Amino acid sequence: LRGAPGPSGLTTDLLRMLCRLECREGVFLCEAIAKLAKRIAEEPLPAEFMEAIITCRLVALKKDGNKIGPIGIGDALRRLISKGILRVCMDEVAKACGAMQTSCGLSDACKSSAAALQKVWDDPKTEAIVLVDAKNAFNGMNRAEALRTVWQRCPRLAQALENIYGF
């Protein structure tokens, strides 16, 4: 777990350090985070409850043509909980995604994919590579349909998605 702090200012390094404390407070913190993750994964929770967890810090990112696009940085606690929930469901997610998501569950998947693509590009036998750019695919999808599909293909993940993304 790495990355910039979200709205609370809690950094991933501090969260990691606190969770590794070898005292009752460290154990208590880990147990509390685990209980919260379990509730998010298994129970429908009110939006007011989830708001503090899912709030993001927006950062302006300069794009082509002097345009600016926002990047949302979620809080370290939400990222930790999401990663934990996904780790528990990973086999189901990989099965549900099938061949459509070749990097599902792999560490540094984007970096590995880029390195593999570079290797193919550097091969003198390669004549062309087709690049497909699915712009803003997450925000452009039909979220209600996506959630129905998740309930069918990976039900253990569906409640967490409903809570976190507020479908």
Side-chain angles (χ1 to χ4, degrees):
L1 187 64
R2 299 265 183 232
S8 73
L10 180 65
T11 65
T12 55
D13 290 335
L14 179 59
L15 184 58
R16 185 178 301 103
M17 184 192 75
L18 292 172
C19 286
R20 290 181 177 167
L21 288 176
E22 293 184 18
C23 60
R24 65 184 171 92
E25 289 85 359
V27 171
F28 179 76
L29 175 62
C30 290
E31 288 173 352
I33 292 171
K35 286 178 186 176
L36 178 58
K38 186 172 174 58
R39 284 194 68 194
I40 290 170
E42 296 177 354
E43 301 174 28
L45 299 172
E48 300 81 28
F49 179 84
M50 291 301 300
E51 190 173 313
I53 296 168
I54 63 173
T55 300
C56 291
R57 180 171 60 98
L58 292 179
V59 176
L61 185 68
K62 193 171 183 178
K63 295 179 150 190
D64 293 338
N66 288 332
K67 294 180 182 177
I68 295 177
I71 297 295
I73 300 174
D75 209 59
L77 181 61
R78 183 201 53 86
R79 295 195 318 261
L80 175 64
I81 288 170
S82 297
K83 190 171 186 171
I85 292 169
L86 190 57
R87 183 171 284 172
V88 169
C89 302
M90 186 51 66
D91 290 342
E92 290 176 43
V93 172
K95 184 178 177 184
C97 291
M100 294 186 299
Q101 182 56 277
T102 58
S103 299
C104 183
L106 298 178
S107 181
D108 290 328
C110 290
K111 186 177 179 181
S112 298
S113 295
L117 186 59
Q118 185 66 52
K119 186 175 180 179
V120 170
W121 179 253
D122 292 341
D123 186 339
K125 297 176 190 171
T126 300
E127 294 181 22
I129 293 178
V130 176
L131 175 65
V132 177
D133 185 13
K135 290 187 178 184
N136 209 7
F138 181 78
N139 290 330
M141 73 178 176
N142 181 334
R143 290 187 182 195
E145 183 61 32
L147 183 59
R148 278 192 293 279
T149 302
V150 172
W151 275 110
Q152 292 169 356
R153 295 186 182 188
C154 190
R156 286 179 61 193
L157 186 60
Q159 187 61 64
L161 289 178
E162 201 164 302
N163 283 328
I164 292 170
Y165 291 105
F167 287 99

